[in-house]
Coordinates of all heavy atoms in Angstrom, one line a residue:
M1 N 113.0 23.2 39.6 CA 111.6 23.2 39.1 C 110.8 23.3 40.4 O 110.8 22.6 41.3 CB 111.3 22.0 38.3 CG 109.9 21.9 38.0 SD 109.4 20.2 37.4 CE 109.3 20.6 35.7
T2 N 109.8 24.3 40.3 CA 108.9 24.5 41.4 C 107.5 24.0 41.1 O 107.0 24.2 39.9 CB 108.7 26.0 41.7 OG1 109.9 26.5 42.0 CG2 107.8 26.3 42.8
I3 N 107.0 23.1 42.0 CA 105.6 22.6 41.8 C 104.7 23.4 42.6 O 104.9 23.5 43.8 CB 105.7 21.1 42.1 CG1 106.7 20.3 41.2 CG2 104.2 20.5 42.0 CD1 106.8 18.9 41.5
R4 N 103.7 23.8 42.1 CA 102.7 24.5 42.8 C 101.3 23.7 42.8 O 101.0 23.0 41.9 CB 102.3 25.9 42.1 CG 103.5 26.8 42.1 CD 103.1 28.1 41.5 NE 104.3 29.0 41.4 CZ 104.9 29.7 42.3 NH1 104.3 29.7 43.5 NH2 106.0 30.5 42.0
F5 N 100.7 23.8 44.0 CA 99.4 23.1 44.0 C 98.4 24.0 44.9 O 98.9 24.8 45.6 CB 99.6 21.7 44.7 CG 100.0 21.8 46.1 CD1 99.1 21.7 47.1 CD2 101.3 21.8 46.4 CE1 99.5 21.7 48.4 CE2 101.8 21.8 47.8 CZ 100.8 21.7 48.7
K6 N 97.2 23.7 44.6 CA 96.2 24.4 45.3 C 95.6 23.5 46.4 O 95.1 22.4 46.0 CB 95.1 25.0 44.5 CG 94.0 25.9 45.1 CD 93.1 26.4 44.1 CE 92.0 27.1 44.9 NZ 91.0 27.7 43.9
R7 N 95.6 23.9 47.6 CA 95.0 23.0 48.7 C 93.5 23.0 48.6 O 92.9 24.2 48.7 CB 95.6 23.5 50.0 CG 95.2 22.6 51.2 CD 96.0 23.1 52.4 NE 95.2 22.6 53.6 CZ 95.7 22.7 54.8 NH1 97.0 23.1 54.9 NH2 95.1 22.3 55.8
N8 N 93.0 21.9 48.7 CA 91.5 21.7 48.7 C 91.1 21.7 50.3 O 91.0 20.7 50.8 CB 91.0 20.4 48.0 CG 89.6 20.2 48.0 OD1 88.8 20.9 48.8 ND2 89.1 19.4 47.2
E9 N 90.8 22.8 50.8 CA 90.5 22.9 52.3 C 89.3 22.1 52.6 O 89.3 21.5 53.6 CB 90.2 24.4 52.7 CG 90.4 24.7 54.1 CD 91.8 24.6 54.6 OE1 92.8 24.8 53.8 OE2 91.9 24.2 55.7
A10 N 88.2 22.1 51.8 CA 87.0 21.3 52.1 C 87.3 19.8 52.1 O 86.9 19.1 53.1 CB 85.9 21.6 51.1
G11 N 88.1 19.3 51.1 CA 88.5 18.0 51.1 C 89.3 17.6 52.3 O 89.2 16.4 52.9
F12 N 90.3 18.5 52.6 CA 91.2 18.3 53.7 C 90.4 18.1 55.0 O 90.6 17.1 55.8 CB 92.2 19.3 53.8 CG 93.2 19.2 54.8 CD1 94.2 18.0 54.8 CD2 93.4 20.0 55.9 CE1 95.2 17.8 55.7 CE2 94.4 19.8 56.8 CZ 95.3 18.8 56.7
N13 N 89.5 19.0 55.2 CA 88.7 19.0 56.4 C 87.8 17.7 56.5 O 87.6 17.1 57.5 CB 87.9 20.2 56.6 CG 88.7 21.4 56.9 OD1 89.8 21.3 57.4 ND2 88.2 22.7 56.7
A14 N 87.2 17.3 55.3 CA 86.4 16.2 55.2 C 87.3 14.8 55.6 O 86.7 14.0 56.3 CB 85.8 16.0 53.8
L15 N 88.4 14.8 55.2 CA 89.3 13.8 55.5 C 89.6 13.6 57.0 O 89.6 12.6 57.7 CB 90.6 13.8 54.7 CG 91.7 12.8 55.0 CD1 91.2 11.5 54.5 CD2 93.0 13.2 54.4
R16 N 89.9 14.8 57.6 CA 90.2 14.9 59.0 C 89.0 14.7 59.9 O 89.1 14.4 61.1 CB 90.9 16.2 59.4 CG 92.1 16.4 58.8 CD 92.9 17.5 59.3 NE 92.3 18.8 59.3 CZ 92.7 19.9 60.0 NH1 93.9 19.8 60.6 NH2 92.0 21.0 59.9
T17 N 87.8 14.8 59.5 CA 86.6 14.5 60.2 C 85.8 13.2 59.8 O 84.8 12.9 60.3 CB 85.6 15.6 60.1 OG1 85.3 15.9 58.7 CG2 86.2 16.9 60.7
S18 N 86.5 12.4 59.0 CA 85.9 11.2 58.5 C 85.8 10.2 59.6 O 86.6 10.2 60.5 CB 86.7 10.6 57.4 OG 87.9 10.0 57.8
P19 N 84.8 9.2 59.7 CA 84.7 8.3 60.7 C 85.8 7.4 60.8 O 86.2 6.9 62.0 CB 83.4 7.5 60.3 CG 82.6 8.4 59.3 CD 83.6 9.2 58.7
V20 N 86.5 7.0 59.7 CA 87.7 6.1 59.7 C 88.8 6.8 60.5 O 89.4 6.2 61.4 CB 88.0 5.8 58.4 CG1 89.4 5.0 58.4 CG2 87.1 5.0 57.7
Y21 N 89.1 8.1 60.2 CA 90.1 8.8 60.9 C 89.7 9.0 62.3 O 90.6 8.9 63.2 CB 90.3 10.1 60.2 CG 91.4 11.0 60.7 CD1 92.8 10.7 60.4 CD2 91.2 12.1 61.5 CE1 93.8 11.5 60.9 CE2 92.2 13.0 61.9 CZ 93.6 12.5 61.6 OH 94.6 13.3 62.1
K22 N 88.5 9.3 62.6 CA 88.1 9.5 64.1 C 88.3 8.2 64.8 O 88.8 8.3 66.1 CB 86.6 10.1 64.0 CG 86.3 10.5 65.4 CD 84.9 11.3 65.3 CE 84.7 12.0 66.7 NZ 83.6 12.9 66.6
A23 N 87.9 7.1 64.2 CA 88.1 5.8 64.9 C 89.6 5.5 65.2 O 89.9 4.9 66.2 CB 87.5 4.7 64.1
M24 N 90.5 5.8 64.2 CA 91.8 5.6 64.4 C 92.4 6.5 65.5 O 93.2 6.0 66.5 CB 92.6 6.0 63.2 CG 94.1 5.8 63.2 SD 95.0 6.5 61.9 CE 94.8 8.2 62.2
L25 N 92.0 7.7 65.7 CA 92.4 8.6 66.7 C 91.9 8.1 68.1 O 92.6 8.2 69.1 CB 91.9 10.0 66.5 CG 92.6 10.8 65.4 CD1 92.0 12.2 65.3 CD2 94.1 10.9 65.6
K26 N 90.6 7.6 68.1 CA 90.0 7.1 69.4 C 90.8 5.9 69.9 O 91.0 5.7 71.0 CB 88.6 6.7 69.1 CG 87.8 6.1 70.3 CD 87.5 7.2 71.4 CE 86.6 6.5 72.4 NZ 87.0 6.8 73.7
G27 N 91.2 5.1 68.9 CA 92.0 3.8 69.3 C 93.4 4.3 69.9 O 93.7 3.7 70.9
H28 N 94.0 5.2 69.3 CA 95.3 5.8 70.0 C 95.0 6.4 71.3 O 95.7 6.0 72.3 CB 96.0 6.8 69.1 CG 96.6 6.3 67.8 ND1 97.6 5.4 67.9 CD2 96.4 6.5 66.5 CE1 98.0 5.2 66.7 NE2 97.3 5.8 65.8
A29 N 94.0 7.1 71.5 CA 93.7 7.8 72.8 C 93.3 6.7 73.8 O 93.7 6.8 75.0 CB 92.5 8.8 72.6
D30 N 92.6 5.7 73.4 CA 92.2 4.7 74.4 C 93.4 3.9 74.9 O 93.5 3.6 76.0 CB 91.2 3.7 73.7 CG 89.7 4.3 73.6 OD1 89.5 5.4 74.3 OD2 89.0 3.7 72.9
R31 N 94.3 3.5 73.9 CA 95.5 2.8 74.3 C 96.4 3.7 75.3 O 96.9 3.1 76.3 CB 96.4 2.4 73.1 CG 95.8 1.2 72.4 CD 96.7 0.7 71.4 NE 97.2 1.6 70.3 CZ 96.5 1.9 69.3 NH1 95.3 1.4 69.0 NH2 97.0 2.8 68.4
I32 N 96.5 5.0 75.0 CA 97.3 5.8 75.9 C 96.7 6.0 77.3 O 97.3 5.8 78.3 CB 97.5 7.3 75.3 CG1 98.4 7.0 74.0 CG2 98.1 8.3 76.2 CD1 98.5 8.2 73.1
E33 N 95.3 6.2 77.3 CA 94.6 6.3 78.5 C 94.8 4.9 79.3 O 95.0 5.0 80.6 CB 93.1 6.5 78.3 CG 92.3 6.5 79.5 CD 90.8 6.5 79.2 OE1 90.4 6.5 78.1 OE2 90.0 6.5 80.3
A34 N 94.6 3.8 78.7 CA 94.7 2.5 79.4 C 96.2 2.4 80.0 O 96.3 1.9 81.1 CB 94.5 1.3 78.5
A35 N 97.2 2.7 79.3 CA 98.5 2.6 79.7 C 98.8 3.6 80.9 O 99.4 3.2 81.9 CB 99.6 3.0 78.7
A36 N 98.2 4.8 80.9 CA 98.4 5.7 82.0 C 97.6 5.2 83.2 O 98.1 5.3 84.4 CB 97.9 7.1 81.6
N37 N 96.4 4.7 83.0 CA 95.6 4.2 84.2 C 96.2 2.9 84.7 O 95.8 2.5 85.9 CB 94.2 4.0 83.7 CG 93.4 5.3 83.7 OD1 93.6 6.1 84.6 ND2 92.5 5.5 82.7
A38 N 97.1 2.3 84.0 CA 97.7 1.0 84.5 C 98.8 1.2 85.6 O 99.1 0.3 86.3 CB 98.3 0.2 83.4
I39 N 99.2 2.5 85.7 CA 100.2 2.8 86.7 C 99.5 2.7 88.1 O 98.4 3.3 88.3 CB 100.8 4.2 86.5 CG1 101.3 4.3 85.1 CG2 101.8 4.5 87.6 CD1 102.6 3.4 84.8
P40 N 100.1 1.9 89.1 CA 99.4 1.7 90.3 C 99.2 3.1 91.1 O 99.9 4.0 91.0 CB 100.5 0.8 91.1 CG 101.4 0.3 90.0 CD 101.4 1.3 88.9
S41 N 98.3 3.0 92.0 CA 98.0 4.1 92.8 C 99.0 4.4 93.7 O 99.7 3.6 94.2 CB 96.7 3.9 93.6 OG 96.2 5.0 94.5
T42 N 99.2 5.8 94.0 CA 100.3 6.2 94.9 C 99.8 6.7 96.2 O 100.6 7.2 97.1 CB 101.1 7.3 94.3 OG1 100.2 8.3 94.0 CG2 101.8 6.9 93.0
T43 N 98.5 6.4 96.5 CA 97.9 6.9 97.8 C 97.2 5.8 98.5 O 96.9 4.7 98.0 CB 96.8 8.0 97.4 OG1 95.8 7.5 96.6 CG2 97.4 9.2 96.8
T44 N 96.9 6.0 99.8 CA 96.3 5.0 100.6 C 94.9 5.7 101.1 O 95.1 6.8 101.7 CB 97.1 4.6 101.8 OG1 98.4 4.0 101.3 CG2 96.5 3.5 102.6
P45 N 93.8 5.0 100.9 CA 93.6 3.9 100.2 C 93.8 4.1 98.7 O 93.7 5.2 98.2 CB 92.1 3.5 100.6 CG 91.6 4.8 100.8 CD 92.6 5.7 101.4
A46 N 93.9 2.9 98.0 CA 94.1 3.0 96.6 C 92.8 3.5 95.9 O 91.8 3.3 96.4 CB 94.5 1.6 96.0
A47 N 93.1 4.2 94.8 CA 92.0 4.9 94.1 C 91.1 3.7 93.5 O 91.6 2.7 93.0 CB 92.5 5.7 93.0
T48 N 89.8 3.9 93.5 CA 88.9 3.0 92.9 C 88.5 3.4 91.5 O 87.8 2.6 90.8 CB 87.7 2.8 93.8 OG1 87.0 4.1 94.0 CG2 88.1 2.2 95.2
E49 N 88.6 4.5 91.1 CA 88.2 5.0 89.7 C 89.4 5.4 88.9 O 90.5 5.7 89.5 CB 87.3 6.3 89.9 CG 87.9 7.5 90.4 CD 88.1 7.6 91.9 OE1 87.4 6.8 92.6 OE2 88.9 8.4 92.3
P50 N 89.3 5.5 87.6 CA 90.5 5.7 86.8 C 91.0 7.1 87.0 O 90.2 8.1 87.4 CB 90.0 5.6 85.3 CG 88.7 4.8 85.4 CD 88.1 5.1 86.8
Y51 N 92.2 7.3 86.9 CA 92.9 8.7 87.1 C 92.7 9.5 85.9 O 92.7 10.8 85.9 CB 94.4 8.5 87.3 CG 94.7 8.2 88.8 CD1 95.5 7.0 89.0 CD2 94.3 8.9 89.9 CE1 95.8 6.7 90.4 CE2 94.6 8.5 91.2 CZ 95.4 7.5 91.4 OH 95.7 7.2 92.6
Y52 N 92.7 8.9 84.7 CA 92.6 9.6 83.4 C 91.4 9.2 82.6 O 90.9 8.2 82.7 CB 93.9 9.4 82.6 CG 95.1 9.6 83.4 CD1 95.8 8.5 84.1 CD2 95.7 10.8 83.5 CE1 96.9 8.8 84.9 CE2 96.8 11.1 84.3 CZ 97.4 10.0 84.9 OH 98.5 10.3 85.7
E53 N 90.9 10.2 81.9 CA 89.7 9.9 80.9 C 89.9 10.6 79.6 O 90.6 11.6 79.5 CB 88.5 10.4 81.7 CG 88.4 11.8 82.1 CD 87.3 12.2 82.9 OE1 86.7 11.2 83.6 OE2 87.0 13.3 83.0
T54 N 89.4 9.9 78.7 CA 89.5 10.4 77.3 C 88.1 11.1 76.9 O 87.0 10.6 77.2 CB 89.7 9.3 76.3 OG1 90.9 8.7 76.7 CG2 89.8 9.7 74.9
Y55 N 88.2 12.2 76.3 CA 86.9 12.9 75.8 C 87.1 13.5 74.4 O 88.3 13.8 74.0 CB 86.5 13.9 76.8 CG 87.3 15.1 77.0 CD1 87.2 16.2 76.3 CD2 88.4 15.1 77.9 CE1 88.0 17.3 76.5 CE2 89.1 16.1 78.2 CZ 89.0 17.3 77.5 OH 89.8 18.4 77.7
D56 N 86.0 13.6 73.8 CA 86.0 13.9 72.3 C 86.1 15.4 72.3 O 85.3 16.2 72.9 CB 84.7 13.5 71.6 CG 84.7 13.7 70.1 OD1 85.6 14.4 69.7 OD2 83.8 13.3 69.6
A57 N 87.1 15.9 71.7 CA 87.3 17.4 71.5 C 87.2 17.9 70.0 O 88.0 18.8 69.5 CB 88.5 17.9 72.1
S58 N 86.5 17.2 69.2 CA 86.4 17.4 67.8 C 85.7 18.7 67.5 O 84.8 19.1 68.3 CB 85.7 16.3 67.1 OG 86.4 15.0 67.2
D59 N 85.9 19.3 66.4 CA 85.2 20.5 65.9 C 84.8 20.2 64.4 O 85.0 19.1 63.9 CB 85.9 21.8 66.1 CG 87.2 21.9 65.4 OD1 87.5 21.1 64.5 OD2 88.1 22.7 66.0
E60 N 84.3 21.2 63.8 CA 83.9 21.0 62.3 C 85.1 20.8 61.4 O 84.9 20.4 60.3 CB 83.0 22.1 61.9 CG 83.7 23.5 61.9 CD 83.7 24.2 63.2 OE1 83.1 23.8 64.1 OE2 84.5 25.3 63.3
R61 N 86.3 21.2 61.8 CA 87.4 21.1 60.9 C 88.3 19.8 61.2 O 89.1 19.5 60.3 CB 88.3 22.3 61.0 CG 87.6 23.6 60.6 CD 88.5 24.7 60.7 NE 89.5 24.5 61.8 CZ 90.2 25.5 62.4 NH1 90.1 26.7 62.0 NH2 91.0 25.2 63.4
R62 N 88.2 19.3 62.4 CA 89.2 18.1 62.7 C 88.6 17.3 63.7 O 87.9 17.7 64.6 CB 90.6 18.6 63.0 CG 90.7 19.4 64.2 CD 92.0 19.9 64.5 NE 92.0 20.9 65.5 CZ 93.1 21.5 66.0 NH1 94.3 21.3 65.3 NH2 93.0 22.3 66.9
S63 N 89.1 16.1 63.8 CA 88.7 15.2 64.9 C 89.9 15.2 65.9 O 91.1 15.2 65.4 CB 88.5 13.7 64.3 OG 87.5 13.7 63.4
R64 N 89.6 15.1 67.0 CA 90.6 15.0 68.1 C 90.0 14.6 69.4 O 88.9 14.7 69.7 CB 91.4 16.3 68.3 CG 90.6 17.4 68.9 CD 91.5 18.6 69.0 NE 90.7 19.8 69.1 CZ 91.0 21.0 69.2 NH1 92.3 21.3 69.1 NH2 90.2 22.0 69.3
Y65 N 90.9 13.9 70.2 CA 90.6 13.4 71.5 C 91.6 13.9 72.5 O 92.8 14.0 72.2 CB 90.6 11.9 71.5 CG 89.3 11.3 70.8 CD1 89.4 11.1 69.5 CD2 88.2 11.0 71.5 CE1 88.3 10.5 68.8 CE2 87.0 10.6 70.8 CZ 87.1 10.3 69.5 OH 86.0 9.8 68.8
R66 N 91.1 14.2 73.7 CA 92.0 14.6 74.7 C 92.0 13.7 75.9 O 91.0 13.1 76.2 CB 91.6 16.0 75.1 CG 91.9 17.1 74.1 CD 91.6 18.5 74.6 NE 92.0 19.4 73.5 CZ 91.7 20.6 73.6 NH1 91.0 21.2 74.6 NH2 92.0 21.4 72.6
I67 N 93.1 13.5 76.5 CA 93.2 12.6 77.7 C 93.6 13.5 78.8 O 94.6 14.4 78.7 CB 94.2 11.6 77.5 CG1 94.0 10.8 76.2 CG2 94.3 10.7 78.7 CD1 95.2 9.9 75.7
A68 N 92.8 13.5 79.9 CA 93.1 14.5 81.0 C 92.9 13.8 82.3 O 92.3 12.7 82.4 CB 92.0 15.6 80.9
T69 N 93.4 14.4 83.3 CA 93.2 13.9 84.7 C 91.8 14.0 85.1 O 91.1 15.0 84.7 CB 94.2 14.6 85.7 OG1 93.9 16.0 85.6 CG2 95.6 14.2 85.4
A70 N 91.3 13.1 85.8 CA 89.8 13.0 86.1 C 89.5 13.9 87.4 O 88.4 14.4 87.4 CB 89.3 11.7 86.4
N71 N 90.4 14.2 88.2 CA 90.2 15.0 89.4 C 91.4 15.4 90.1 O 92.6 15.1 89.6 CB 89.3 14.1 90.4 CG 89.9 12.7 90.6 OD1 91.1 12.6 90.8 ND2 89.1 11.7 90.7
L72 N 91.3 16.0 91.3 CA 92.6 16.5 92.0 C 93.4 15.3 92.3 O 94.8 15.5 92.3 CB 92.1 17.3 93.2 CG 93.2 17.9 94.0 CD1 94.1 18.8 93.2 CD2 92.7 18.6 95.2
R73 N 92.9 14.2 92.8 CA 93.7 13.1 93.1 C 94.5 12.7 91.9 O 95.7 12.2 92.0 CB 92.9 12.0 93.7 CG 93.6 10.8 94.2 CD 92.6 9.9 94.9 NE 93.3 8.8 95.5 CZ 92.8 7.9 96.3 NH1 91.4 7.9 96.5 NH2 93.5 7.0 96.8
A74 N 93.8 12.6 90.8 CA 94.6 12.3 89.6 C 95.7 13.2 89.2 O 96.7 12.9 88.7 CB 93.6 12.2 88.4
Q75 N 95.5 14.5 89.4 CA 96.5 15.5 89.2 C 97.7 15.2 90.1 O 98.8 15.3 89.6 CB 96.0 16.9 89.4 CG 94.9 17.3 88.3 CD 94.3 18.7 88.7 OE1 94.5 19.3 89.7 NE2 93.3 19.1 87.9
R76 N 97.5 14.9 91.3 CA 98.5 14.6 92.2 C 99.3 13.3 91.8 O 100.5 13.2 91.9 CB 98.1 14.5 93.6 CG 97.7 15.9 94.2 CD 97.1 15.7 95.6 NE 96.8 17.0 96.0 CZ 95.8 17.3 96.9 NH1 95.1 16.3 97.4 NH2 95.5 18.5 97.3
H77 N 98.5 12.4 91.4 CA 99.1 11.1 90.8 C 100.0 11.4 89.6 O 101.2 10.9 89.6 CB 98.0 10.2 90.4 CG 98.5 8.8 89.9 ND1 98.5 8.6 88.6 CD2 98.9 7.7 90.5 CE1 99.0 7.3 88.4 NE2 99.3 6.8 89.6
E78 N 99.5 12.2 88.8 CA 100.4 12.6 87.5 C 101.7 13.3 87.9 O 102.7 13.1 87.4 CB 99.5 13.4 86.6 CG 100.3 13.9 85.3 CD 100.8 12.8 84.4 OE1 100.4 11.7 84.5 OE2 101.7 13.1 83.7
A79 N 101.5 14.2 88.9 CA 102.7 15.0 89.4 C 103.7 14.1 89.9 O 105.0 14.4 89.9 CB 102.3 16.1 90.3
K80 N 103.3 13.0 90.6 CA 104.2 12.1 91.2 C 104.7 11.0 90.3 O 106.0 10.7 90.4 CB 103.5 11.4 92.5 CG 104.5 10.7 93.3 CD 103.6 10.3 94.6 CE 104.7 9.9 95.7 NZ 103.9 9.5 97.0
T81 N 104.0 10.5 89.4 CA 104.4 9.4 88.6 C 104.7 9.6 87.1 O 105.3 8.9 86.4 CB 103.3 8.3 88.6 OG1 102.1 8.8 87.9 CG2 102.9 7.8 90.0
F82 N 104.2 10.8 86.6 CA 104.3 11.2 85.2 C 103.7 10.0 84.3 O 104.2 9.8 83.3 CB 105.8 11.4 84.8 CG 106.3 12.6 85.6 CD1 107.2 12.3 86.5 CD2 106.0 13.8 85.2 CE1 107.8 13.4 87.3 CE2 106.6 14.9 85.9 CZ 107.5 14.7 87.0
A83 N 102.6 9.4 84.8 CA 102.0 8.3 84.1 C 101.5 8.6 82.7 O 101.8 7.9 81.7 CB 100.8 7.7 84.9
L84 N 100.9 9.8 82.5 CA 100.4 10.2 81.3 C 101.5 10.5 80.4 O 101.5 10.2 79.1 CB 99.3 11.3 81.4 CG 98.6 11.7 80.2 CD1 97.8 10.5 79.6 CD2 97.7 12.8 80.5
N85 N 102.5 11.2 80.8 CA 103.6 11.6 80.0 C 104.3 10.3 79.5 O 104.8 10.2 78.4 CB 104.6 12.5 80.8 CG 104.1 13.9 81.0 OD1 103.4 14.3 80.1 ND2 104.5 14.5 82.1
R86 N 104.5 9.4 80.3 CA 105.2 8.1 79.9 C 104.3 7.3 79.0 O 104.8 6.7 78.0 CB 105.5 7.2 81.2 CG 106.6 7.8 82.0 CD 107.1 6.8 83.0 NE 106.0 6.7 84.1 CZ 106.1 5.8 85.1 NH1 107.2 5.0 85.1 NH2 105.2 5.7 85.9
A87 N 103.0 7.3 79.1 CA 102.1 6.7 78.2 C 102.2 7.3 76.8 O 102.1 6.7 75.8 CB 100.7 6.7 78.7
F88 N 102.2 8.7 76.7 CA 102.4 9.4 75.5 C 103.6 9.1 74.8 O 103.7 8.8 73.6 CB 102.2 10.9 75.7 CG 101.0 11.5 75.6 CD1 100.4 12.2 76.7 CD2 100.2 11.3 74.5 CE1 99.1 12.6 76.7 CE2 98.9 11.9 74.4 CZ 98.4 12.5 75.5
S89 N 104.7 9.0 75.5 CA 106.0 8.8 74.9 C 106.2 7.3 74.5 O 106.8 7.0 73.5 CB 107.2 9.1 75.8 OG 107.2 8.3 77.0
S90 N 105.4 6.4 75.1 CA 105.5 5.0 74.7 C 104.4 4.7 73.6 O 104.6 3.7 72.9 CB 105.4 4.0 75.8 OG 104.0 4.0 76.3
D91 N 103.4 5.5 73.6 CA 102.2 5.3 72.7 C 101.7 3.9 72.8 O 101.2 3.3 71.9 CB 102.5 5.7 71.2 CG 101.2 5.8 70.5 OD1 100.1 5.8 70.9 OD2 101.3 5.9 69.2
A92 N 101.7 3.5 74.0 CA 101.2 2.1 74.4 C 101.3 1.1 73.2 O 100.5 0.4 72.8 CB 99.8 2.2 74.9

């Protein structure tokens, strides 16, 4: 037996952009960012600012957050420690 349904695109997009969903995603992104930033500095002198930052990359169809290296020093830290990769795989 085949069940057919019609997808409600407007309702689906409203769900993905709702404040509750956006807050949930922000919580996940903040935990991952904190875990990645918890990895100690690999340079001398030690970094005084966070290596990773979260920013809102939402559009009209969906909510999303991105975590990225903050600067060149952070890119080098990621290449050496894989801090962000490890934080994603552990999901803090």
